[in-house]
Amino acid sequence: MTDEPHANAMQEQEAGLARYRAILAAALDPIITIDARGTIESASDSVWRVFGWTPNELIGQNVNVLMPEPHRSGHDGYLRNYGETGRTNILGEVREFEACRKDGSLVPIDLCVSRVDIPGQTEPLFTAVIHDLTARKRTEGVLRESAKQLQAILEHIDLLGVSLDRDGRITFINETLLRLTGWTRDEALGRNWFESFLANVDVETVFAVFSNALNSGDITAQFENEILTRDGAKRLVLWHNAVIRDVNGTVIGVTALGQDITEQRRSEEERARAHDQLEELVAERTAELESTHEQLRLADRLASIGTLAAGLGHDMNNVLLPIRCRLDALDEKTLTTDTREHFGAVRDSLDYLQQLTDGLHLLALDPDDPAATQGTTDIAAWWKRLHPLLTKALPKSATLLVDFPEELPVAAVPSHRLSQAILNLVVNASEAIGPHGSVRVSAQVVEDRRFVRLIVTDDGQGMSDDVRHRALDPFFTTKTRGLGTGLGLSLVHGVIRSAGGTMRIDSEPGQGTAVTLTLPTVQQMMWEQHADGTPCRTRIDVVDRRVGSLMESMASAVGMQVANDVEVEQVDVWITSDSRSLDAMLERPVAERPPAIIVVGELPADTPTDAIMHLPRSDDFQAIRACLQGAVERRHESRS
C-alpha cells in the first residue's frame, strides 16, 4: 500500500517535468537554467537557433562558454561574490550584452536573470531569458546609415534646414542656414531658436504655430517669417514644416526646410510698384492725350483765326492805302475851319486803323517760319503799333496803364513773337481782373542797357503757390475745360527762353500778379563777338537732344555761330556732356584744346575745374548765359 502513493508522486513529478520541457521547447527566446556554480542544468530548444548549440551539448557545461572575454574569465568570480555578499546588479534587470556563439561569433542579446529558490535545497538556481537583438541591431544600423545620408543631404542641399526640440532648442542646423545667419555649428546647437533667430515682431506668431504643433501634432505645412542673422540683418524665409515623433508616436519636436525669398519678395514688390506706376502713367498719358486732342482742335480754330487776321490785315491795308492817298491829295489850306477839324478827325481815325492793321499783321506771322525766329525789335516803335490792339483785349470798363521810358533799346527778339507773348499776358490779366480792374504794362532798362524788362501787372485775384509753380507747365489751366488751352504762359516762356531771356511770375492770392520778361538787347548780343567782328564758333556735343537744342537756341540768340560739323580743335567754344571725350581732350596740350570748354551735367570727380566751365543744370537760363559769356571772355583772353 505504501508503494502506490510513492508511485503516484513520481508520476506527477514526471508529468511536471514533461510540461516544463514542453514549455522550454516551445519558447522562442532561449531559456537557460544554471546552478550556483554556473553549470547549465537545462536549456530550451531555441538555444540552437541563437547560439548554434543543442540543449544536450550545453547541459553540464559552464555557462561562461556563452560569454566573450572578459566576462568568460570573470563569471565564476561573479557567482562566488554573490554567494558571499548577496549583492549583484544583474538580477531582475534587462541588460544588453554580447554573447558568444558556438563558432565564436558574437551575437547582441537582451539578458534577464532571475533567482529560483527550490524548497528543500540550500543553493538557488538562476534562470536566464535571452532575446536575440541581431535583427533589431541590423535595423538600427540601417536607420543610422539612413540618418547619416539624410543629414549629409540636408547639409549640402541649397535649402535652410533646422530641427527644434520641445523647448525650442536647436538640435540640428544645416550648413546653408549657418552660412546665411553667420553662426557656427557649435554656437547654434542648443541655442533657443525663438530668442536668437527671430525678430521680436514675429516671435509671438511663430511660437503659437510651434506650440500648437506640440500640443495637437498638426503643424502649418507652409509658413513664412523673417529671421535674424548674427549681425541683425533680416531675411524672409518660406518654411516647409513637419513634426518629429518618437517610436511611440509622441511629438518630440519640429523640423523645417526653408527657402530664402528675401530677394524674390523684394523683386515682386518692385514689380508691383512698377506696375502701379505704369498704370498711373498710362492713365496720365491717356488723359494728356485726350487733352492734347482737345488743344489741337482748339489750335486748328486759332490757326483759322490767324489766317483770317492775316487776310483782314491785308485787305484793310488795300483799303487804307487809297484813302490815305486821297487825303494826302487834299490841300488843307483850301478847307474851311470846320472842314479842317473833320479832316483831322478822319486822319486820326485812319492812323488808328493803320495801327490795328499792323498789329494784326504781327500776330499773323508764323512762329515756326525760320525767318520769323530771327530779328530784333525796336521796343518804342513796336509799342506804338501794338498798344491800340492791346486796348481791345481788355474789358471796356477796365484800364490799361502804360509806363514806358524814353530811348528804349533794341531787344534781341523778333517783334511778332514779342507781340504774341505780351498779348497772351494781357489777355490772361484781363481775365483775372474784375470789370473795373486795371492792367499795367511797363518797361525798364537794366544792366547798362544790356537787358530790357517788360512787366505786365494786374490787380486781379492772384495765384496760390501751387498754381504759380505749375503755371508754366504745358496744358495746365485753372479755367473751365474748353475755355482755356493751358498753353498761353508755356508759349510765352518758350518765346522768351528761345531769345535767351528769362520769365518770372510774382503773385499772391488776392494781391494780383506780375509777370516779368527779361530780354537781352542788341548791345548784349555784341559781347560774344571777337575783336575782329567774326562770330564765336561753337560746337555742341550734348547727348540729350532737348538740352542740345536749347544750347543751340541760346547760343544762336546771342550771335554765336553753331558749327557742329567743324572739328573740336577748330572751334572757339566746345559744349559737351560726354565724359570720355572730355577726358581725351584734357589729356592734350593746352594749345590743342578749344579756348573754352563747357561741361553740361554731372562732372567726373577727377576733372580739373580750372580747365573747364561747369553747367550742372540745363534749365538754369541765367547760368547758361553766364557760362556762354564766360566762355567768350576766355576766348578773348586767349587771343589777347
Side-chain angles (χ1 to χ4, degrees):
M1 294 294 293
T2 58
D3 291 337
E4 185 176 349
H6 179 70
N8 291 336
M10 290 295 293
Q11 289 177 354
E12 290 178 0
Q13 185 176 4
E14 288 178 358
L17 288 174
R19 287 194 300 272
Y20 173 69
R21 292 189 188 98
I23 292 172
L24 289 179
L28 293 176
D29 289 333
I31 301 175
I32 296 175
T33 302
I34 64 172
D35 61 17
R37 287 170 293 281
T39 302
I40 298 174
E41 292 196 353
S42 67
S44 65
D45 292 348
S46 54
V47 296
W48 182 86
R49 177 177 56 81
V50 176
F51 296 105
W53 298 84
T54 64
N56 291 334
E57 290 175 328
L58 283 178
I59 293 173
Q61 292 199 61
N62 193 301
V63 73
N64 60 18
V65 300
L66 301 178
M67 302 177 187
E69 294 291 353
H71 298 298
R72 177 175 292 181
S73 301
H75 188 259
D76 290 344
Y78 302 159
L79 290 174
R80 285 194 300 273
N81 180 67
Y82 174 71
E84 295 172 357
T85 65
R87 292 194 300 271
T88 182
N89 57 4
I90 193 173
L91 293 178
E93 300 287 342
V94 177
R95 304 289 298 275
E96 185 174 321
F97 291 100
E98 281 189 323
C100 190
R101 291 190 178 97
K102 183 178 180 179
D103 60 7
S105 61
L106 300 179
V107 56
I109 62 169
D110 272 344
L111 176 65
C112 180
V113 180
S114 301
R115 172 173 170 156
V116 179
D117 292 309
I118 298 176
Q121 294 186 7
T122 57
E123 292 181 342
L125 298 178
F126 300 96
T127 299
V129 179
I130 302 168
H131 179 66
D132 185 358
L133 299 180
T134 302
R136 193 181 81 183
K137 291 294 183 181
R138 184 182 301 113
T139 301
E140 290 176 351
V142 172
L143 291 176
R144 281 194 298 271
E145 186 62 29
S146 298
K148 289 180 181 179
Q149 293 177 358
L150 178 59
Q151 184 168 350
I153 292 172
L154 292 177
E155 285 291 352
H156 297 91
I157 196 173
D158 192 22
L159 292 172
L160 312 176
V162 66
S163 297
L164 310 178
D165 63 14
R166 291 186 65 89
D167 296 324
R169 292 188 299 268
I170 298 172
T171 57
F172 168 78
I173 182 169
N174 72 350
E175 189 64 30
T176 305
L177 184 51
L178 291 173
R179 284 197 306 270
L180 178 66
T181 57
W183 294 90
T184 66
R185 192 178 305 278
D186 291 341
E187 292 170 335
L189 290 176
R191 189 176 291 271
N192 188 285
W193 172 260
F194 301 96
E195 295 175 357
S196 302
F197 288 81
L198 294 188
N200 291 335
V201 68
D202 288 333
V203 169
E204 185 175 348
T205 302
V206 179
F207 188 76
V209 174
F210 175 75
S211 299
N212 180 69
L214 298 182
N215 296 328
S216 68
D218 186 21
I219 190 170
T220 305
Q222 286 190 354
F223 190 84
E224 67 179 49
N225 62 273
E226 288 183 333
I227 65 172
L228 294 178
T229 64
R230 188 168 187 173
D231 59 6
K234 294 181 179 180
R235 306 297 297 183
L236 183 63
V237 178
L238 174 62
W239 295 106
H240 299 268
N241 309 307
V243 296
I244 304 174
R245 302 177 185 271
D246 62 12
V247 294
N248 298 318
T250 303
V251 176
I252 59 174
V254 299
T255 186
L257 288 177
Q259 180 182 3
D260 182 1
I261 59 172
T262 306
E263 303 304 328
Q264 173 186 332
R265 185 57 50 81
R266 185 176 296 134
S267 297
E268 291 173 353
E269 292 173 353
E270 290 177 355
R271 285 196 298 271
R273 284 195 298 269
H275 180 268
D276 293 341
Q277 292 173 355
L278 182 60
E279 287 190 340
E280 292 177 2
L281 185 60
V282 168
E284 291 176 2
R285 292 295 181 266
T286 301
E288 289 178 3
L289 184 59
E290 293 175 352
S291 177
T292 301
H293 287 165
E294 182 65 28
Q295 311 311 324
L296 290 175
R297 288 190 288 271
L298 182 57
D300 287 340
R301 295 196 295 272
L302 292 177
S304 300
I305 294 174
T307 302
L308 177 63
L312 180 61
H314 181 270
D315 291 344
M316 287 179 67
N317 264 329
N318 290 339
V319 173
L320 290 174
L321 179 59
I323 295 175
R324 188 181 297 278
C325 291
R326 284 173 170 78
L327 288 176
D328 291 341
L330 291 175
D331 186 357
E332 293 188 31
K333 294 181 180 180
T334 63
L335 300 177
T336 64
T337 302
D338 291 342
T339 304
R340 190 178 296 112
E341 290 178 0
H342 291 304
F343 183 85
V346 171
R347 184 174 291 278
D348 290 342
S349 297
L350 184 64
D351 291 339
Y352 179 71
L353 286 174
Q354 187 65 54
Q355 289 175 343
L356 289 178
T357 302
D358 293 341
L360 288 173
H361 174 71
L362 287 175
L363 293 176
L365 289 176
D366 183 3
D368 294 326
D369 184 356
T373 61
Q374 302 174 2
T376 59
T377 299
D378 183 332
I379 298 297
W382 160 81
W383 180 249
K384 288 181 180 180
R385 296 195 305 271
L386 188 66
H387 185 195
L389 191 62
L390 293 183
T391 59
K392 301 302 180 183
L394 296 178
K396 291 183 178 180
S397 56
T399 303
L400 178 64
L401 304 175
V402 180
D403 183 11
F404 272 60
E406 297 181 358
E407 299 183 0
L408 288 168
V410 177
V413 60
S415 59
H416 71 284
R417 304 205 73 181
L418 183 59
S419 299
Q420 292 168 333
I422 295 299
L423 180 60
N424 260 304
L425 295 180
V426 172
V427 170
N428 281 350
S430 70
E431 295 172 349
I433 62 177
H436 301 287
S438 63
V439 177
R440 176 183 295 273
V441 182
S442 57
Q444 300 174 0
V445 181
V446 295
E447 297 186 27
D448 296 330
R449 299 182 67 82
R450 291 172 58 185
F451 295 92
V452 61
R453 285 180 184 158
L454 298 177
I455 308 169
V456 178
T457 307
D458 66 65
D459 57 4
Q461 58 189 359
M463 305 179 188
S464 66
D465 287 342
D466 179 62
V467 172
R468 181 169 56 84
H469 289 149
R470 299 183 60 192
L472 300 183
D473 293 346
F475 304 116
F476 173 76
T477 180
T478 58
K479 301 174 186 176
T480 303
R481 181 177 178 85
L483 297 181
T485 66
L487 292 173
L489 290 179
S490 177
L491 292 174
V492 174
H493 187 223
V495 169
I496 302 307
R497 185 176 61 180
S498 66
T502 61
M503 176 177 176
R504 188 182 78 240
I505 301 176
D506 298 303
S507 184
E508 292 183 9
Q511 301 298 317
T513 300
V515 180
T516 302
L517 310 180
T518 302
L519 293 163
T521 65
V522 173
Q523 177 178 332
Q524 167 67 8
M525 292 174 61
M526 297 305 295
W527 59 255
E528 83 288 349
Q529 303 296 323
H530 294 315
D532 57 5
T534 60
C536 180
R537 292 201 301 177
T538 303
R539 174 171 173 140
I540 301 173
D541 293 323
V542 178
V543 176
D544 191 322
R545 293 183 178 180
R546 294 174 298 175
V547 177
S549 177
L550 174 62
M551 293 297 172
E552 289 186 16
S553 298
M554 295 196 69
S556 298
V558 298
M560 287 183 165
Q561 182 184 48
V562 178
N564 290 337
D565 56 343
V566 177
E567 295 295 331
V568 176
E569 299 84 351
Q570 300 176 8
V571 299
D572 302 313
V573 179
W574 181 39
I575 303 175
T576 182
S577 64
D578 186 351
S579 59
R580 292 185 179 179
S581 299
L582 175 65
D583 292 342
M585 179 60 69
L586 293 179
E587 290 177 358
R588 298 185 181 184
V590 175
E592 297 180 8
R593 307 176 194 166
I597 301 175
I598 299 176
V599 180
V600 181
E602 186 175 352
L603 187 67
D606 56 349
T607 303
T609 55
D610 58 336
I612 57 95
M613 304 177 69
H614 186 208
L615 187 62
R617 292 177 52 188
S618 60
D619 59 349
D620 188 339
F621 304 112
Q622 290 286 76
I624 295 174
R625 187 180 299 109
C627 265
L628 293 175
Q629 183 173 2
V632 173
E633 290 174 354
R634 287 195 180 190
R635 179 67 180 93
H636 290 168
E637 292 172 1
S638 70
R639 288 202 168 188
S640 60

